[in-house]
Amino acid sequence: FFKFGGRKGAPQGGKRREAKSEIPRLTLDDVVLDKEAMFKLNYVVKHHMMDKTTPFKILLWGPPGTGKTHTARALAGELKKPLITLDLSRVMDMYVGETEKILTAFFDRAEKEKAIIFMDEADSFFKERSSTNKSWENNHVNHVLKLVETRKVSVILCTNLYEALDDALLRRIDEVIEYKLPTADERMEIWKKELRKNGLDDDSLGLETLSRIEISGGLIANAVIKANKMKVVEGEDLQVDTLFLQGLASDEIKKLGKSFAAKKICGFGG
């Protein structure tokens, strides 16, 4: 639960905004990862199906956009559970004394709905503590750690900065899954999935040529979505071929200020 209004970012009595709770339509079949990561994810699913009373706590870490958010949604969909995103930066902006109440209410709701809580950018909240931390910040972290440990709620956390996380959080994690730049074979699978998902024919395309571009799944998805939109607007006059998709992939890389010749960009939706 969050309250907004008044000055920008400040809480306000009155209106409340509840985080959306929904069962994602994705499953693990929609995820393309290396064997080790997929093994760990499948283990989490199998273990939870055998023991549904014990919640899991998993940490997904890796460069921005390597598939962490996509996986969180797919895992919830695989388990047919609602996924609720807890924006810790919003909660921390509450009035003094309100933060703990908001966090507790959030876990109360997840427990009641049998939902999974998703915490993105966990390093911004669970960063390693030191003497320079404000006491109220430490109190908030301790409160969340207690909720994570004691409540019957499964939690998925994501971070780009594993080394910055507090050891107290890591001790409470069941599985740590690392996300890496996809291989050529994995990129080919991602191209196939995205093209089919967007209603584009992949049979006539040079998928092997496209897979040699060291681009992430997230940027592949962006390029294919753009191709689909352009096809809708331009109609049959537009030919979506290998060269055209290479150009769109190049555009996605250039958005990040990178040279297409470098081609080493990570990313798949979070």
Side-chain angles (χ1 to χ4, degrees):
F1 299 84
F2 304 116
K3 300 177 185 177
F4 298 99
R7 66 176 175 81
K8 186 176 180 180
Q12 180 87 358
K15 289 187 178 180
R16 284 183 180 267
R17 186 178 79 183
E18 293 189 5
K20 270 192 171 183
S21 173
E22 60 179 9
I23 299 176
R25 295 182 180 180
L26 297 172
T27 70
L28 291 184
D29 287 338
D30 299 302
V31 175
V32 179
L33 295 172
D34 62 78
K35 289 183 179 179
E36 181 181 355
M38 287 304 300
F39 175 82
K40 289 185 176 182
L41 287 169
N42 281 310
Y43 167 76
V44 170
V45 170
K46 291 175 183 176
H47 186 274
H48 188 72
M49 296 303 289
M50 292 174 63
D51 181 10
K52 295 183 179 180
T53 61
T54 303
F56 57 80
K57 317 292 190 298
I58 65 173
L59 174 68
L60 314 178
W61 77 277
T66 45
K68 301 183 293 293
T69 301
H70 187 73
T71 300
R73 296 180 62 228
L75 185 56
E78 185 76 28
L79 294 171
K80 295 180 172 55
K81 286 181 174 290
L83 185 72
I84 310 177
T85 299
L86 172 54
D87 188 339
L88 292 167
S89 64
R90 294 278 193 182
V91 176
M92 286 291 285
D93 205 27
M94 295 296 161
Y95 290 130
V96 175
E98 282 291 297
T99 299
E100 288 83 354
K101 294 178 184 177
I102 298 295
L103 290 167
T104 299
F106 203 96
F107 273 78
D108 286 344
R109 179 185 167 204
E111 205 166 33
K112 180 180 179 181
E113 297 182 9
K114 294 181 171 52
I116 297 172
I117 290 179
F118 174 57
M119 301 184 193
D120 200 3
E121 299 182 0
D123 52 278
S124 65
F125 187 82
F126 294 107
K127 57 182 177 290
E128 191 171 2
R129 286 172 283 182
S130 67
S131 58
T132 60
N133 284 67
K134 299 179 179 66
S135 60
W136 57 267
E137 288 180 336
N138 287 335
N139 290 339
H140 294 163
V141 172
N142 288 334
H143 186 72
V144 177
L145 289 174
K146 183 179 179 181
L147 291 169
V148 168
E149 186 172 26
T150 60
R151 291 303 191 91
K152 293 289 186 181
V153 177
S154 292
V155 179
I156 303 173
L157 302 101
C158 290
T159 183
N160 306 330
L161 301 170
Y162 177 83
E163 65 279 3
L165 294 174
D166 194 302
D167 288 344
L169 170 66
L170 296 176
R171 287 195 296 269
R172 291 163 170 82
I173 298 297
D174 302 316
E175 290 291 340
V176 176
I177 303 175
E178 182 181 1
Y179 283 67
K180 306 169 186 175
L181 181 68
T183 64
D185 287 343
E186 290 162 357
R187 289 193 295 272
M188 184 178 289
E189 285 302 310
I190 295 169
W191 277 109
K192 286 180 182 178
K193 287 179 182 292
E194 292 301 321
L195 287 165
R196 291 169 184 172
K197 186 167 69 176
N198 284 275
L200 297 174
D201 179 23
D202 63 338
D203 293 334
S204 60
L205 296 172
L207 291 176
E208 187 172 345
T209 299
L210 292 171
S211 69
R212 285 200 292 268
I213 304 171
E214 293 185 31
I215 188 174
S216 70
L219 298 186
I220 290 171
N222 289 347
V224 176
I225 290 169
K226 180 71 176 292
N228 187 36
K229 287 181 178 178
M230 295 178 75
K231 184 70 174 175
V232 170
V233 173
E234 299 293 338
E236 295 302 320
D237 293 335
L238 178 66
Q239 184 179 0
V240 179
D241 56 16
T242 304
L243 187 61
F244 181 75
L245 289 170
Q246 281 181 307
L248 292 180
S250 174
D251 290 344
E252 290 302 316
I253 292 172
K254 288 175 183 176
K255 286 179 185 178
L256 303 182
K258 305 291 183 181
S259 166
F260 185 58
K263 296 184 288 188
K264 295 197 176 192
I265 308 295
C266 298
F268 198 108

